[in-house]
């Protein structure tokens, strides 16, 4: 889409959500530090800090899904399921297929080098739709996209007002369900797909409902970020201070405080009037997301080789988290540029997308 037709406030949210995902996966190196090493971070007064870094970034996945719903459900052309599926196949399914192969080879290489989790993990990851830890999102998203034309059809049948109520109710039920059911083993589980439809539909509703207002943007963003900081403090207390821990997860996409803060942050960005042309970078975020986990893992393996398995003990997370986030971001952007150029050249030469489209009978 040409930049002049883009809504730059959502492009900005997409970019920041991508960075937030990288922050989560970098900060995890310190959040999950071994129990015997807790005294190190406690001595630096950093354990709560890295938990706040982690918690402050948890809006990313819900906002990614809400952005998708905001635009896909607003386009009547997407009611034609074949047209929508062909478009989604190129932009979502083909990259998922390519990166599934790449990460399976990556994990196989780790096993051959003696640093992997075993061949059973490679196979179970493929079956579960989690060939690498971040790839679950792609398999879940494919399920959501499969249902998108039918959601548009339901919206047209029941009307905007009723759809708004259904969308909000759907998200509330999803939070109540997912928060209490434990970890979902299969990324393509239909129950999880239906739950993410709550965020998908609410993103559409909020984009339609929220007007531009600097005051609303400030209030909503401030409230959302404060909730995430509070959640980080609670997470620190529950896992490192309280002897009894906490029976339910509190930082997942469907935990109550994360859901509330994510909606507020989305409202904040929906209320912004952003003029900067950010479409070019925003369009890269999908592939950056695909690359970043491999970059994080590669850097971590290098650090282990150089400094041992507890390498993070020598790096103060106060600033090293952000140094690694910057490094991972830059490398992921460079890899994305190379990937885009290489894929376009190979696709033009060998008609990869057209061939796969014919294979699954989406060309007629």
């Amino acid at each position: 889409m040409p930049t002049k037709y883009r809504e730059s406030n959502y492009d900005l949210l997409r970019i920041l959500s991508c960075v937030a995902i990288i922050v989560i996966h970098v900060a995890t190196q310190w959040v999950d530090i071994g129990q015997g090493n807790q005294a190190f971070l406690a001595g630096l007064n950093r354990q709560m800090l890295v938990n706040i870094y982690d918690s402050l970034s948890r809006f990313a996945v819900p906002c990614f899904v809400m952005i998708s719903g905001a635009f896909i459900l607003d386009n009547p052309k997407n009611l034609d399921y074949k047209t929508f599926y062909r478009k989604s196949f190129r932009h979502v399914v083909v990259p998922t297929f390519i990166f599934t192969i790449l990460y399976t080879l990556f994990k196989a290489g780790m096993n051959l080098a003696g640093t992997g989790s075993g061949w059973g993990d490679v196979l179970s990851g493929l079956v579960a739709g989690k060939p690498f830890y971040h790839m679950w999102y792609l398999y879940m998203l494919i399920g959501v996209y499969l249902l998108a034309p039918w959601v548009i059809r339901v919206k047209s049948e029941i009307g905007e007002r009723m759809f708004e109520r259904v969308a909000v109710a759907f998200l509330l039920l999803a939070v109540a369900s997912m928060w209490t059911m434990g970890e979902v083993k299969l990324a393509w589980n239909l129950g999880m797909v239906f739950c993410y439809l709550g965020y998908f539909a609410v993103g559409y509703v909020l984009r339609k409902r929220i007007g531009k207002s600097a005051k609303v943007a400030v209030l909503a963003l401030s409230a959302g970020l404060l909730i995430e900081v509070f959640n980080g403090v609670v997470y620190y207390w529950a896992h490192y201070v309280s002897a009894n821990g906490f029976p339910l997860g509190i930082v997942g996409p469907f935990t109550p405080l994360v859901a509330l803060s994510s909606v507020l942050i989305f409202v904040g960005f929906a209320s912004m009037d952003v003029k900067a042309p950010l479409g070019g970078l925003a369009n890269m975020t999908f592939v950056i997301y695909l690359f970043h986990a491999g970059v994080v893992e590669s850097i971590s393996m290098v650090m282990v080789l150089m400094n041992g398995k507890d390498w993070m003990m020598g790096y103060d997370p106060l600033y090293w988290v952000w140094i690694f986030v910057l490094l991972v971001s830059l490398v992921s952007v460079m890899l994305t540029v190379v990937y885009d150029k290489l894929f376009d050249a190979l696709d033009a030469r060998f008609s990869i997308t057209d061939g796969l489209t014919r294979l699954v009978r989406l060309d007629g």
Side-chain angles (χ1 to χ4, degrees):
M1 179 182 287
T3 302
K4 65 179 180 179
Y5 296 120
R6 300 187 67 98
E7 295 182 45
S8 293
N9 51 328
Y10 293 104
D11 283 339
L12 178 59
L13 178 56
R14 186 179 285 109
I15 293 166
L16 293 177
S17 295
C18 187
V19 173
I21 290 288
I22 296 173
V23 172
I24 291 172
H25 293 149
V26 169
T28 295
Q29 309 285 337
W30 285 269
V31 171
D32 292 340
I33 196 169
Q35 290 296 322
N37 298 324
Q38 294 296 324
F40 166 73
L41 290 183
L44 290 174
N45 196 25
R46 298 291 190 259
Q47 188 65 66
M48 183 183 293
L49 181 68
V50 292
N51 278 278
I52 290 174
Y53 286 167
D54 177 83
S55 185
L56 269 172
S57 305
R58 292 290 171 167
F59 68 90
V61 167
C63 283
F64 266 140
V65 179
M66 284 190 279
I67 292 169
S68 295
F71 290 93
I72 289 173
L73 298 181
D74 195 36
N75 187 350
K77 293 181 180 179
N78 292 333
L79 187 58
D80 181 348
Y81 72 94
K82 271 203 169 181
T83 300
F84 178 70
Y85 289 165
R86 280 197 297 269
K87 179 173 60 176
S88 301
F89 190 80
R90 172 178 173 79
H91 295 296
V92 178
V93 179
V94 172
T96 300
F97 176 74
I98 292 172
F99 277 85
T100 293
I101 294 174
L102 291 176
Y103 277 113
T104 299
L105 293 174
F106 184 79
K107 289 174 74 173
M110 291 172 64
N111 282 332
L112 292 173
T115 59
S117 301
W119 295 103
D121 179 59
V122 176
L123 180 60
S124 63
L126 286 171
V127 173
K130 302 175 183 178
F132 213 67
Y133 61 82
H134 69 311
M135 290 286 289
W136 70 269
Y137 177 81
L138 280 299
Y139 284 88
M140 175 277 297
L141 193 65
I142 290 171
V144 171
Y145 275 34
L146 282 171
L147 296 174
W150 308 105
V151 176
I152 297 172
R153 188 177 299 276
V154 168
K155 178 169 67 72
S156 64
E157 291 288 337
I158 66 177
E160 292 285 341
R161 185 59 61 87
M162 180 58 69
F163 183 77
E164 291 177 2
R165 296 170 183 169
V166 170
V168 172
F170 218 84
L171 180 55
L172 291 174
L173 289 171
V175 169
S177 174
M178 292 286 283
W179 190 40
T180 56
M181 73 182 295
E183 181 185 0
V184 178
K185 302 301 182 184
L186 302 177
W188 42 267
N189 177 287
L190 285 178
M192 183 166 74
V193 169
F194 272 100
C195 285
Y196 273 99
L197 279 176
Y199 278 125
F200 196 70
V202 164
Y204 165 80
V205 170
L206 292 175
R207 177 170 172 255
K208 298 285 282 188
R209 277 285 188 176
I210 304 298
K212 298 294 185 287
S213 168
K215 183 177 181 180
V216 170
V218 170
L219 290 175
L221 285 173
S222 298
L225 293 174
L226 283 173
I227 290 171
E228 292 204 320
V229 170
F230 173 75
N231 207 33
V233 174
V234 172
Y235 183 80
Y236 167 77
W237 173 84
H239 288 271
Y240 302 108
V241 177
S242 171
N244 299 320
F246 198 76
L248 295 172
I250 55 176
V251 292
F254 288 97
T255 54
L257 290 180
V258 171
L260 177 58
S261 62
S262 299
V263 168
L264 286 169
I265 288 170
F266 188 89
V267 168
F269 279 91
S271 306
M272 287 183 180
D273 186 16
V274 179
K275 301 298 186 182
L278 301 170
L281 183 56
N283 282 336
M284 296 172 66
T285 55
F286 185 73
V287 179
I288 290 172
Y289 176 88
L290 287 166
F291 270 119
H292 87 277
V295 177
V296 171
E297 188 66 26
S298 297
I299 292 174
S300 180
M301 287 191 294
V302 170
M303 298 303 291
V304 169
L305 289 172
M306 292 174 56
N307 303 296
K309 65 178 182 178
D310 293 326
W311 62 266
M312 69 288 296
M313 296 282 289
Y315 295 83
D316 188 343
L318 174 65
Y319 47 87
W320 275 103
V321 165
W322 302 107
I323 293 173
F324 283 123
V325 166
L326 179 60
L327 177 60
V328 171
S329 300
L330 291 175
V331 173
S332 298
V333 168
M334 290 188 290
L335 289 172
T336 297
V337 172
V338 173
Y339 168 87
D340 285 341
K341 291 182 181 295
L342 183 60
F343 179 79
D344 288 345
L346 292 174
D347 197 26
R349 177 68 177 83
F350 299 106
S351 301
I352 298 171
T353 303
D354 290 341
L356 290 172
T357 301
R358 286 193 297 271
L359 185 65
V360 296
R361 300 182 183 277
L362 285 175
D363 58 331

